[in-house]
Amino acid sequence: MRYFVDRRENPKGKSLGNRQRFVKRARNRIKEVVDRSLKDRSIKDLSTGETITIPTKGIEEPKFFNDGRTGKKDRVFPGNKEFIPGDTIPRPEGGGGKGQGKEASEDGEGQDDFSFTLTRDEFLDLFFEDLELPDMVKKSLTDVKNFQTKHAGYRTSGTTSNISLVRTMRQSLGRRTALKRPKKEELDQVEEEIKELEAKSRLGAKQKARLEELRALHEKMLRKRAVVGFIDPIDVRYHAFEKVPQPNSKAVMFCLMDVSGSMGEREKDLAKRFFLLLHLFLDRRYEYTEIVFIRHTHVASEVDEETFFYGRESGGTVVSRALDEMKKVQRERYPTDIWNIYGAQVSDGDNTSGDSGNCISLLNNDILPFVQYYTYIEVVDENEMEIVRNGEGGSSLWKAYRQVREGWPLFKMGKIAQAGDIYGVFRELFAKDLKGAS
């Protein structure tokens, strides 16, 4: 998560509430510009920073000035019923109210924009900040790298900075009470009574005996207080801390890409763009996430990253082979009680006749019961934008997967026809509120 720091000076009139509202407006405008700029960027460009420009309109704090001609003084009080956040107040006609030297346009609004450069990390953080892998709940203590320091009681030794004053004073009070150390108030009372008796010119026999008794008691009390100190080394207690291992959320993402003959260069390019974006997302947001790459034609196999993105093998199409390979790898290496399992599949929807039924069976019986989330992206022709808008149309595989979607809320689907569609579909599929594409 990125933090915006308001480094402006804090003159009179800029309360904490005003400054927080300014930071919120600036953050929202930057996020809007980042999301909008992604539509025209390639995946390669996504790994670099970006110079973005946001208009000053909407992020400036409102200012009111006295009108020197009329002497009227306008003030805005909180709780007014006339304005709501986002309302604009038109500038006075005739050039009044320009503010601090900025020129107004013909419609009365300023034209100055605010430009700055985001680094690659800042840009990616802003883009991915409201996305997540859904339902990541399984945690494991294996391969623990993170520890959290927690309080673990008290001990009799330690460093000075870890002394617990409260616990030390409690120990001291208990020891003084047990050893009957005279209190200061008791000592003062005896001394006061001795002074009163010594101040008298004549003392009776009882008073003389009382004075001697008090003096003996006073001496005893002083000796007792000297022997039983207020604070003793055995009273001192130190805070104890220990490092507690933090369980990690381990996740694996299965990437299934159709590279059969029906997938042309355009379709493959779009599929690779989607998986590159997914790769960036996982790399940026999650530390303990593994990725399994599976390419398939009429056969399927697990491959390394280089082969997945740049391999040139092609062939017929049997989609169920990729699901079979995912099932096999998951059973061999990723037990469901430890790993959060995710799947992302991209295809043009072309499949061997009769194989879509196998896909439905594999998803319903062998894959979806054990995964946290599964997405299917279908690459359609550029001229079939209407299909993209109409969620009911699509290939035979799309129609088969619609049956699966009816029974599994964790199964989401989306369509892309051109590069500009990828970002919107990606954000819908991995939004925190789990709003999937229809």
Side-chain angles (χ1 to χ4, degrees):
M1 179 177 179
R2 306 305 304 174
Y3 295 94
F4 290 83
V5 179
D6 186 358
R7 299 187 185 280
R8 300 173 301 166
E9 296 180 352
N10 189 21
K12 182 179 179 180
K14 286 185 171 58
S15 65
L16 177 61
N18 282 338
R19 299 174 73 86
Q20 289 176 335
R21 281 190 287 271
F22 168 79
V23 171
K24 182 180 179 181
R25 287 197 300 271
R27 181 187 181 85
N28 291 338
R29 295 306 296 264
I30 293 172
K31 186 72 170 60
E32 289 174 6
V33 174
V34 167
D35 292 344
R36 192 165 55 245
S37 70
L38 284 171
K39 295 180 180 179
D40 302 323
R41 303 185 99 203
S42 67
I43 294 294
K44 184 179 179 180
D45 294 336
L46 191 63
S47 62
T48 63
E50 170 79 357
T51 299
I52 66 174
T53 301
I54 60 174
T56 56
K57 177 186 176 184
I59 62 172
E60 290 183 332
E61 292 189 39
K63 300 175 183 177
F64 295 90
F65 301 90
N66 293 330
D67 188 337
R69 297 168 299 179
T70 63
K72 291 183 179 179
K73 185 177 183 180
D74 294 329
R75 300 182 65 184
V76 177
F77 295 94
N80 73 84
K81 298 180 181 179
E82 184 177 358
F83 299 101
I84 60 174
D87 283 351
T88 59
I89 300 177
R91 292 175 181 272
E93 296 180 357
K98 290 182 180 178
Q100 297 176 346
K102 294 180 180 178
E103 294 295 331
S105 61
E106 295 180 356
D107 59 3
E109 295 181 350
Q111 295 179 330
D112 294 340
D113 289 340
F114 180 41
S115 297
F116 56 94
T117 301
L118 295 177
T119 65
R120 172 184 181 275
D121 291 343
E122 291 170 338
F123 189 85
L124 292 178
D125 283 344
L126 281 169
F127 179 64
F128 293 132
E129 71 172 1
D130 52 354
L131 304 179
E132 67 175 4
L133 289 178
D135 196 25
M136 185 179 285
V137 295
K138 298 173 186 174
K139 299 180 183 295
S140 171
L141 282 172
T142 57
D143 300 327
V144 169
K145 294 182 180 179
N146 295 328
F147 293 87
Q148 183 175 4
T149 302
K150 289 189 175 182
H151 194 261
Y154 302 90
R155 59 180 57 168
T156 57
S157 61
T159 60
T160 306
S161 60
N162 288 335
I163 289 179
S164 171
L165 294 178
V166 173
R167 186 52 64 101
T168 298
M169 295 307 297
R170 184 183 299 177
Q171 290 292 124
S172 171
L173 177 61
R175 179 183 53 79
R176 283 182 278 127
T177 303
L179 297 178
K180 298 181 179 179
R181 183 179 190 268
K183 296 180 181 178
K184 182 67 167 53
E185 295 79 5
E186 297 173 346
L187 184 62
D188 292 341
Q189 185 178 358
V190 172
E191 290 177 346
E192 184 67 24
E193 191 173 352
I194 290 175
K195 287 181 180 178
E196 290 179 359
L197 290 175
E198 288 178 343
K200 294 181 179 179
S201 58
R202 288 185 178 183
L203 297 176
K206 290 184 178 179
Q207 291 176 324
K208 289 181 179 178
R210 176 59 179 167
L211 180 59
E212 292 300 322
E213 181 184 354
L214 290 173
R215 286 173 175 169
L217 178 61
H218 182 257
E219 183 179 357
K220 183 179 179 181
M221 293 174 73
L222 289 177
R223 187 167 59 251
K224 190 81 173 182
R225 284 174 63 86
V227 173
V228 183
F230 189 84
I231 295 290
D232 193 273
I234 63 173
D235 300 330
V236 181
R237 293 293 182 271
Y238 300 85
H239 290 289
F241 299 95
E242 64 179 9
K243 290 185 176 180
V244 180
Q246 296 300 299
N248 300 315
S249 296
K250 300 181 69 174
V252 55
M253 172 67 75
F254 286 87
C255 298
L256 285 63
M257 182 165 65
D258 183 357
V259 291
S260 61
S262 62
M263 291 279 288
E265 289 302 317
R266 185 190 69 87
E267 286 78 8
K268 289 179 182 176
D269 178 66
L270 292 177
K272 291 175 184 177
R273 285 170 179 254
F274 176 84
F275 283 119
L276 281 170
L277 188 61
L278 179 61
H279 191 288
L280 272 176
F281 168 60
L282 297 176
D283 182 61
R284 189 70 196 166
R285 293 293 306 273
Y286 299 98
E287 184 177 1
Y288 301 101
T289 301
E290 294 189 9
I291 302 177
V292 176
F293 297 105
I294 296 177
R295 284 168 59 100
H296 80 89
T297 53
H298 61 289
V299 295
S301 60
E302 180 184 0
V303 296
D304 57 25
E305 180 180 338
E306 180 74 16
T307 305
F308 183 80
F309 286 107
Y310 303 107
R312 302 183 64 82
E313 295 80 6
S314 186
T317 309
V318 182
V319 177
S320 63
R321 300 285 169 78
L323 300 178
D324 267 329
E325 182 69 10
M326 174 181 173
K327 171 187 170 183
K328 186 188 77 171
V329 174
Q330 182 266 312
R331 299 290 192 275
E332 291 175 352
R333 304 208 304 262
Y334 301 102
T336 56
D337 57 336
I338 297 177
W339 289 84
N340 295 280
I341 301 171
Y342 298 87
Q345 178 183 358
V346 178
S347 172
D348 62 347
D350 182 58
N351 196 12
T352 300
S353 176
D355 186 59
S356 295
N358 296 333
C359 296
I360 294 175
S361 176
L362 280 167
L363 286 171
N364 284 330
N365 301 322
D366 300 307
I367 294 179
L368 294 183
F370 305 106
V371 304
Q372 312 300 116
Y373 190 64
Y374 193 97
T375 63
Y376 170 66
I377 307 300
E378 186 156 302
V379 183
V380 300
D381 191 83
E382 288 180 290
N383 300 322
E384 297 176 347
M385 290 300 294
E386 190 60 32
I387 296 180
V388 176
R389 299 188 184 96
N390 180 12
E392 301 305 315
S395 66
S396 59
L397 188 62
W398 176 272
K399 293 175 181 175
Y401 277 6
R402 280 174 49 199
Q403 300 176 34
V404 178
R405 185 183 58 186
E406 297 300 324
W408 296 94
L410 56 85
F411 185 85
K412 300 294 181 182
M413 302 164 63
K415 295 175 183 175
I416 55 177
Q418 52 190 2
D421 301 330
I422 294 177
Y423 301 105
V425 171
F426 187 87
R427 294 188 66 83
E428 288 180 358
L429 293 176
F430 294 99
K432 286 184 178 178
D433 59 358
L434 283 178
K435 289 181 179 177
S438 59

Short mmCIF file of all heavy atoms in Angstrom, two decimals, residues 241-288:
data_model
loop_
_atom_site.label_atom_id
_atom_site.label_comp_id
_atom_site.label_asym_id
_atom_site.label_seq_id
_atom_site.Cartn_x
_atom_site.Cartn_y
_atom_site.Cartn_z
N PHE A 241 10.84 -10.88 25.98
CA PHE A 241 10.26 -10.95 24.64
C PHE A 241 10.75 -12.22 23.94
O PHE A 241 11.84 -12.72 24.22
CB PHE A 241 10.67 -9.72 23.81
CG PHE A 241 10.20 -8.42 24.39
CD1 PHE A 241 11.03 -7.66 25.20
CD2 PHE A 241 8.90 -7.96 24.14
CE1 PHE A 241 10.59 -6.46 25.75
CE2 PHE A 241 8.46 -6.77 24.68
CZ PHE A 241 9.31 -6.02 25.49
N GLU A 242 9.93 -12.70 23.04
CA GLU A 242 10.33 -13.85 22.25
C GLU A 242 9.80 -13.70 20.83
O GLU A 242 8.78 -13.03 20.60
CB GLU A 242 9.80 -15.15 22.86
CG GLU A 242 8.28 -15.24 22.89
CD GLU A 242 7.81 -16.54 23.48
OE1 GLU A 242 8.66 -17.28 24.02
OE2 GLU A 242 6.60 -16.82 23.42
N LYS A 243 10.49 -14.31 19.90
CA LYS A 243 10.08 -14.25 18.50
C LYS A 243 9.14 -15.41 18.19
O LYS A 243 9.49 -16.57 18.41
CB LYS A 243 11.30 -14.30 17.58
CG LYS A 243 12.14 -13.04 17.63
CD LYS A 243 13.27 -13.11 16.62
CE LYS A 243 14.05 -11.80 16.59
NZ LYS A 243 15.16 -11.84 15.60
N VAL A 244 7.97 -15.07 17.71
CA VAL A 244 6.97 -16.08 17.39
C VAL A 244 6.89 -16.21 15.87
O VAL A 244 6.69 -15.22 15.16
CB VAL A 244 5.59 -15.68 17.95
CG1 VAL A 244 4.55 -16.73 17.60
CG2 VAL A 244 5.68 -15.47 19.45
N PRO A 245 7.06 -17.42 15.34
CA PRO A 245 6.98 -17.58 13.88
C PRO A 245 5.59 -17.29 13.37
O PRO A 245 4.59 -17.68 13.98
CB PRO A 245 7.37 -19.05 13.67
CG PRO A 245 7.09 -19.71 14.97
CD PRO A 245 7.33 -18.67 16.04
N GLN A 246 5.52 -16.58 12.26
CA GLN A 246 4.25 -16.24 11.66
C GLN A 246 3.95 -17.19 10.50
O GLN A 246 4.75 -17.32 9.57
CB GLN A 246 4.27 -14.80 11.14
CG GLN A 246 4.45 -13.77 12.22
CD GLN A 246 3.34 -13.81 13.24
OE1 GLN A 246 2.17 -13.62 12.90
NE2 GLN A 246 3.68 -14.10 14.49
N PRO A 247 2.81 -17.86 10.56
CA PRO A 247 2.49 -18.78 9.45
C PRO A 247 2.31 -18.03 8.14
O PRO A 247 1.79 -16.92 8.11
CB PRO A 247 1.19 -19.43 9.92
CG PRO A 247 0.62 -18.50 10.93
CD PRO A 247 1.78 -17.81 11.58
N ASN A 248 2.77 -18.66 7.08
CA ASN A 248 2.67 -18.06 5.76
C ASN A 248 1.47 -18.60 5.01
O ASN A 248 1.08 -19.75 5.17
CB ASN A 248 3.93 -18.36 4.95
CG ASN A 248 5.16 -17.81 5.62
OD1 ASN A 248 5.17 -16.68 6.09
ND2 ASN A 248 6.19 -18.62 5.69
N SER A 249 0.91 -17.75 4.18
CA SER A 249 -0.14 -18.19 3.27
C SER A 249 0.54 -18.63 1.98
O SER A 249 0.99 -17.82 1.19
CB SER A 249 -1.12 -17.05 2.99
OG SER A 249 -1.79 -16.69 4.17
N LYS A 250 0.61 -19.92 1.78
CA LYS A 250 1.28 -20.44 0.59
C LYS A 250 0.23 -20.64 -0.50
O LYS A 250 -0.83 -21.22 -0.26
CB LYS A 250 1.96 -21.75 0.92
CG LYS A 250 3.01 -21.62 2.02
CD LYS A 250 3.68 -22.93 2.31
CE LYS A 250 4.56 -23.37 1.13
NZ LYS A 250 5.34 -24.57 1.46
N ALA A 251 0.55 -20.17 -1.67
CA ALA A 251 -0.39 -20.26 -2.78
C ALA A 251 0.33 -20.69 -4.05
O ALA A 251 1.52 -20.39 -4.23
CB ALA A 251 -1.09 -18.92 -3.01
N VAL A 252 -0.39 -21.39 -4.88
CA VAL A 252 0.14 -21.78 -6.18
C VAL A 252 -0.87 -21.38 -7.24
O VAL A 252 -2.08 -21.57 -7.07
CB VAL A 252 0.43 -23.29 -6.25
CG1 VAL A 252 -0.80 -24.11 -5.89
CG2 VAL A 252 0.97 -23.67 -7.62
N MET A 253 -0.37 -20.78 -8.32
CA MET A 253 -1.23 -20.37 -9.43
C MET A 253 -0.90 -21.25 -10.64
O MET A 253 0.24 -21.29 -11.09
CB MET A 253 -0.99 -18.90 -9.77
CG MET A 253 -1.68 -18.43 -11.04
SD MET A 253 -3.49 -18.42 -10.92
CE MET A 253 -3.73 -16.96 -9.89
N PHE A 254 -1.89 -21.96 -11.12
CA PHE A 254 -1.73 -22.75 -12.34
C PHE A 254 -2.14 -21.88 -13.53
O PHE A 254 -3.27 -21.40 -13.59
CB PHE A 254 -2.61 -24.00 -12.28
CG PHE A 254 -2.08 -25.07 -11.35
CD1 PHE A 254 -2.42 -25.05 -10.01
CD2 PHE A 254 -1.26 -26.06 -11.82
CE1 PHE A 254 -1.94 -26.02 -9.15
CE2 PHE A 254 -0.76 -27.04 -10.97
CZ PHE A 254 -1.10 -27.02 -9.62
N CYS A 255 -1.21 -21.71 -14.46
CA CYS A 255 -1.48 -20.93 -15.67
C CYS A 255 -1.61 -21.89 -16.84
O CYS A 255 -0.63 -22.55 -17.22
CB CYS A 255 -0.35 -19.93 -15.93
SG CYS A 255 -0.15 -18.69 -14.64
N LEU A 256 -2.79 -21.99 -17.41
CA LEU A 256 -3.06 -22.91 -18.51
C LEU A 256 -3.30 -22.10 -19.78
O LEU A 256 -4.26 -21.33 -19.87
CB LEU A 256 -4.30 -23.75 -18.21
CG LEU A 256 -4.20 -24.90 -17.20
CD1 LEU A 256 -3.86 -24.43 -15.80
CD2 LEU A 256 -5.52 -25.68 -17.17
N MET A 257 -2.41 -22.26 -20.76
CA MET A 257 -2.53 -21.49 -22.00
C MET A 257 -2.69 -22.41 -23.20
O MET A 257 -1.92 -23.36 -23.39
CB MET A 257 -1.32 -20.58 -22.20
CG MET A 257 -1.42 -19.70 -23.45
SD MET A 257 -0.24 -18.34 -23.48
CE MET A 257 1.31 -19.22 -23.58
N ASP A 258 -3.68 -22.11 -24.00
CA ASP A 258 -3.94 -22.82 -25.25
C ASP A 258 -3.00 -22.27 -26.33
O ASP A 258 -3.04 -21.07 -26.63
CB ASP A 258 -5.40 -22.63 -25.64
CG ASP A 258 -5.76 -23.42 -26.89
OD1 ASP A 258 -4.87 -24.06 -27.48
OD2 ASP A 258 -6.96 -23.37 -27.27
N VAL A 259 -2.15 -23.12 -26.90
CA VAL A 259 -1.25 -22.68 -27.97
C VAL A 259 -1.48 -23.53 -29.22
O VAL A 259 -0.57 -23.73 -30.03
CB VAL A 259 0.23 -22.76 -27.53
CG1 VAL A 259 0.52 -21.73 -26.48
CG2 VAL A 259 0.58 -24.16 -27.06
N SER A 260 -2.68 -24.03 -29.38
CA SER A 260 -2.99 -24.90 -30.51
C SER A 260 -3.02 -24.09 -31.80
O SER A 260 -2.89 -22.86 -31.80
CB SER A 260 -4.34 -25.59 -30.28
OG SER A 260 -5.36 -24.61 -30.18
N GLY A 261 -3.23 -24.79 -32.90
CA GLY A 261 -3.20 -24.15 -34.21
C GLY A 261 -4.28 -23.10 -34.38
O GLY A 261 -4.11 -22.13 -35.15
N SER A 262 -5.40 -23.25 -33.68
CA SER A 262 -6.47 -22.25 -33.82
C SER A 262 -6.12 -20.93 -33.16
O SER A 262 -6.74 -19.90 -33.45
CB SER A 262 -7.76 -22.79 -33.20
OG SER A 262 -7.58 -23.03 -31.82
N MET A 263 -5.16 -20.96 -32.29
CA MET A 263 -4.71 -19.72 -31.65
C MET A 263 -3.69 -19.05 -32.56
O MET A 263 -2.53 -19.46 -32.65
CB MET A 263 -4.06 -20.03 -30.29
CG MET A 263 -5.02 -20.52 -29.22
SD MET A 263 -5.93 -19.19 -28.40
CE MET A 263 -4.66 -18.44 -27.40
N GLY A 264 -4.11 -17.99 -33.25
CA GLY A 264 -3.19 -17.25 -34.11
C GLY A 264 -2.24 -16.40 -33.29
O GLY A 264 -2.27 -16.40 -32.05
N GLU A 265 -1.41 -15.63 -33.98
CA GLU A 265 -0.45 -14.78 -33.29
C GLU A 265 -1.14 -13.74 -32.43
O GLU A 265 -0.69 -13.41 -31.34
CB GLU A 265 0.47 -14.11 -34.32
CG GLU A 265 1.46 -15.05 -34.98
CD GLU A 265 2.35 -15.74 -33.95
OE1 GLU A 265 2.82 -15.06 -33.02
OE2 GLU A 265 2.57 -16.96 -34.07
N ARG A 266 -2.25 -13.21 -32.94
CA ARG A 266 -2.96 -12.21 -32.14
C ARG A 266 -3.52 -12.82 -30.87
O ARG A 266 -3.38 -12.25 -29.77
CB ARG A 266 -4.12 -11.63 -32.97
CG ARG A 266 -4.86 -10.48 -32.29
CD ARG A 266 -6.13 -10.13 -33.07
NE ARG A 266 -7.11 -11.21 -32.97
CZ ARG A 266 -8.00 -11.30 -31.98
NH1 ARG A 266 -8.01 -10.40 -31.03
NH2 ARG A 266 -8.86 -12.29 -31.96
N GLU A 267 -4.13 -14.00 -31.00
CA GLU A 267 -4.70 -14.65 -29.82
C GLU A 267 -3.62 -15.01 -28.80
O GLU A 267 -3.78 -14.82 -27.59
CB GLU A 267 -5.48 -15.90 -30.23
CG GLU A 267 -6.81 -15.64 -30.92
CD GLU A 267 -6.64 -15.25 -32.38
OE1 GLU A 267 -5.50 -15.33 -32.88
OE2 GLU A 267 -7.63 -14.85 -33.02
N LYS A 268 -2.50 -15.54 -29.32
CA LYS A 268 -1.41 -15.89 -28.40
C LYS A 268 -0.83 -14.66 -27.73
O LYS A 268 -0.46 -14.68 -26.55
CB LYS A 268 -0.31 -16.64 -29.18
CG LYS A 268 -0.72 -18.05 -29.59
CD LYS A 268 0.40 -18.73 -30.37
CE LYS A 268 -0.05 -20.12 -30.83
NZ LYS A 268 0.97 -20.80 -31.66
N ASP A 269 -0.72 -13.59 -28.49
CA ASP A 269 -0.18 -12.35 -27.91
C ASP A 269 -1.07 -11.85 -26.78
O ASP A 269 -0.59 -11.45 -25.71
CB ASP A 269 -0.07 -11.29 -29.00
CG ASP A 269 0.43 -9.97 -28.45
OD1 ASP A 269 1.60 -9.91 -28.01
OD2 ASP A 269 -0.34 -8.99 -28.44
N LEU A 270 -2.40 -11.90 -26.99
CA LEU A 270 -3.31 -11.46 -25.93
C LEU A 270 -3.24 -12.38 -24.71
O LEU A 270 -3.28 -11.91 -23.57
CB LEU A 270 -4.75 -11.41 -26.47
CG LEU A 270 -5.04 -10.34 -27.52
CD1 LEU A 270 -6.48 -10.44 -28.01
CD2 LEU A 270 -4.79 -8.94 -26.94
N ALA A 271 -3.13 -13.68 -24.98
CA ALA A 271 -3.02 -14.63 -23.86
C ALA A 271 -1.74 -14.37 -23.07
O ALA A 271 -1.75 -14.36 -21.83
CB ALA A 271 -3.02 -16.06 -24.41
N LYS A 272 -0.63 -14.14 -23.78
CA LYS A 272 0.63 -13.87 -23.09
C LYS A 272 0.57 -12.56 -22.32
O LYS A 272 1.10 -12.44 -21.21
CB LYS A 272 1.77 -13.82 -24.11
CG LYS A 272 2.10 -15.16 -24.73
CD LYS A 272 3.16 -15.03 -25.80
CE LYS A 272 3.41 -16.37 -26.48
NZ LYS A 272 4.40 -16.25 -27.58
N ARG A 273 -0.10 -11.57 -22.87
CA ARG A 273 -0.24 -10.29 -22.15
C ARG A 273 -1.00 -10.51 -20.84
O ARG A 273 -0.64 -9.96 -19.80
CB ARG A 273 -1.00 -9.28 -23.01
CG ARG A 273 -0.19 -8.69 -24.14
CD ARG A 273 -1.08 -7.89 -25.07
NE ARG A 273 -0.33 -7.29 -26.16
CZ ARG A 273 -0.04 -6.00 -26.24
NH1 ARG A 273 -0.43 -5.18 -25.29
NH2 ARG A 273 0.64 -5.51 -27.25
N PHE A 274 -2.06 -11.31 -20.89
CA PHE A 274 -2.82 -11.57 -19.67
C PHE A 274 -1.95 -12.27 -18.62
O PHE A 274 -1.94 -11.88 -17.44
CB PHE A 274 -4.05 -12.43 -19.98
CG PHE A 274 -4.83 -12.81 -18.77
CD1 PHE A 274 -5.78 -11.94 -18.24
CD2 PHE A 274 -4.62 -14.02 -18.13
CE1 PHE A 274 -6.51 -12.28 -17.11
CE2 PHE A 274 -5.34 -14.37 -17.00
CZ PHE A 274 -6.28 -13.50 -16.49
N PHE A 275 -1.20 -13.29 -19.06
CA PHE A 275 -0.39 -14.02 -18.09
C PHE A 275 0.79 -13.19 -17.59
O PHE A 275 1.22 -13.35 -16.45
CB PHE A 275 0.10 -15.33 -18.72
CG PHE A 275 -0.96 -16.39 -18.77
CD1 PHE A 275 -1.39 -16.90 -19.98
CD2 PHE A 275 -1.55 -16.87 -17.62
CE1 PHE A 275 -2.37 -17.88 -20.04
CE2 PHE A 275 -2.54 -17.84 -17.66
CZ PHE A 275 -2.95 -18.34 -18.87
N LEU A 276 1.33 -12.32 -18.44
CA LEU A 276 2.39 -11.42 -17.96
C LEU A 276 1.86 -10.48 -16.89
O LEU A 276 2.52 -10.21 -15.89
CB LEU A 276 2.97 -10.63 -19.14
CG LEU A 276 3.98 -11.36 -20.02
CD1 LEU A 276 4.28 -10.54 -21.26
CD2 LEU A 276 5.27 -11.62 -19.25
N LEU A 277 0.65 -9.99 -17.12
CA LEU A 277 0.04 -9.12 -16.11
C LEU A 277 -0.20 -9.89 -14.82
O LEU A 277 0.04 -9.38 -13.72
CB LEU A 277 -1.28 -8.56 -16.66
CG LEU A 277 -1.96 -7.49 -15.81
CD1 LEU A 277 -1.08 -6.26 -15.65
CD2 LEU A 277 -3.30 -7.09 -16.43
N LEU A 278 -0.67 -11.12 -14.96
CA LEU A 278 -0.90 -11.97 -13.78
C LEU A 278 0.42 -12.25 -13.07
O LEU A 278 0.50 -12.22 -11.83
CB LEU A 278 -1.57 -13.27 -14.22
CG LEU A 278 -1.86 -14.29 -13.12
CD1 LEU A 278 -2.81 -13.71 -12.08
CD2 LEU A 278 -2.46 -15.57 -13.73
N HIS A 279 1.46 -12.50 -13.85
CA HIS A 279 2.78 -12.75 -13.27
C HIS A 279 3.27 -11.54 -12.49
O HIS A 279 3.79 -11.65 -11.37
CB HIS A 279 3.76 -13.09 -14.40
CG HIS A 279 5.08 -13.62 -13.92
ND1 HIS A 279 6.02 -12.82 -13.31
CD2 HIS A 279 5.62 -14.86 -13.93
CE1 HIS A 279 7.07 -13.53 -12.98
NE2 HIS A 279 6.85 -14.78 -13.35
N LEU A 280 3.12 -10.36 -13.07
CA LEU A 280 3.51 -9.13 -12.37
C LEU A 280 2.73 -8.95 -11.09
O LEU A 280 3.27 -8.57 -10.05
CB LEU A 280 3.26 -7.92 -13.28
CG LEU A 280 4.38 -7.51 -14.23
CD1 LEU A 280 3.90 -6.38 -15.11
CD2 LEU A 280 5.61 -7.08 -13.45
N PHE A 281 1.44 -9.22 -11.16
CA PHE A 281 0.57 -9.08 -9.99
C PHE A 281 1.02 -10.00 -8.85
O PHE A 281 1.16 -9.57 -7.70
CB PHE A 281 -0.87 -9.39 -10.41
CG PHE A 281 -1.82 -9.55 -9.28
CD1 PHE A 281 -2.06 -8.51 -8.39
CD2 PHE A 281 -2.51 -10.74 -9.09
CE1 PHE A 281 -2.95 -8.66 -7.35
CE2 PHE A 281 -3.40 -10.90 -8.06
CZ PHE A 281 -3.62 -9.85 -7.18
N LEU A 282 1.27 -11.26 -9.17
CA LEU A 282 1.68 -12.20 -8.14
C LEU A 282 3.06 -11.85 -7.59
O LEU A 282 3.29 -11.92 -6.38
CB LEU A 282 1.69 -13.63 -8.71
CG LEU A 282 0.34 -14.16 -9.18
CD1 LEU A 282 0.52 -15.53 -9.82
CD2 LEU A 282 -0.64 -14.24 -8.02
N ASP A 283 3.95 -11.46 -8.46
CA ASP A 283 5.31 -11.12 -8.04
C ASP A 283 5.31 -9.89 -7.15
O ASP A 283 6.11 -9.78 -6.22
CB ASP A 283 6.18 -10.89 -9.27
CG ASP A 283 7.61 -10.58 -8.89
OD1 ASP A 283 8.25 -11.44 -8.26
OD2 ASP A 283 8.09 -9.48 -9.21
N ARG A 284 4.40 -8.96 -7.45
CA ARG A 284 4.37 -7.71 -6.71
C ARG A 284 3.66 -7.82 -5.36
O ARG A 284 4.07 -7.24 -4.38
CB ARG A 284 3.65 -6.66 -7.57
CG ARG A 284 3.74 -5.25 -7.03
CD ARG A 284 5.14 -4.72 -7.15
NE ARG A 284 5.34 -3.56 -6.31
CZ ARG A 284 6.52 -3.06 -6.02
NH1 ARG A 284 7.59 -3.62 -6.49
NH2 ARG A 284 6.63 -2.00 -5.25
N ARG A 285 2.59 -8.59 -5.33
CA ARG A 285 1.76 -8.59 -4.14
C ARG A 285 2.01 -9.75 -3.19
O ARG A 285 1.70 -9.66 -2.02
CB ARG A 285 0.28 -8.62 -4.56
CG ARG A 285 -0.20 -7.35 -5.24
CD ARG A 285 -0.20 -6.18 -4.27
NE ARG A 285 -0.97 -6.48 -3.06
CZ ARG A 285 -2.27 -6.29 -2.95
NH1 ARG A 285 -2.93 -5.78 -3.95
NH2 ARG A 285 -2.89 -6.56 -1.83
N TYR A 286 2.57 -10.86 -3.65
CA TYR A 286 2.69 -12.04 -2.81
C TYR A 286 4.11 -12.58 -2.82
O TYR A 286 4.72 -12.73 -3.88
CB TYR A 286 1.71 -13.13 -3.28
CG TYR A 286 0.27 -12.69 -3.20
CD1 TYR A 286 -0.39 -12.21 -4.33
CD2 TYR A 286 -0.41 -12.70 -1.99
CE1 TYR A 286 -1.70 -11.77 -4.25
CE2 TYR A 286 -1.72 -12.27 -1.91
CZ TYR A 286 -2.36 -11.81 -3.04
OH TYR A 286 -3.65 -11.37 -2.96
N GLU A 287 4.59 -12.89 -1.62
CA GLU A 287 5.96 -13.37 -1.48
C GLU A 287 6.05 -14.88 -1.61
O GLU A 287 7.05 -15.40 -2.07
CB GLU A 287 6.50 -12.93 -0.11
CG GLU A 287 7.94 -13.27 0.13
CD GLU A 287 8.45 -12.75 1.45
OE1 GLU A 287 7.64 -12.13 2.19
OE2 GLU A 287 9.62 -12.97 1.76
N TYR A 288 5.02 -15.57 -1.17
CA TYR A 288 5.08 -17.03 -1.14
C TYR A 288 4.08 -17.63 -2.12
O TYR A 288 3.22 -18.41 -1.75
CB TYR A 288 4.80 -17.53 0.27
CG TYR A 288 5.76 -16.99 1.29
CD1 TYR A 288 5.39 -15.94 2.13
CD2 TYR A 288 7.04 -17.51 1.41
CE1 TYR A 288 6.27 -15.44 3.06
CE2 TYR A 288 7.93 -17.01 2.33
CZ TYR A 288 7.53 -15.97 3.16
OH TYR A 288 8.41 -15.48 4.07
#
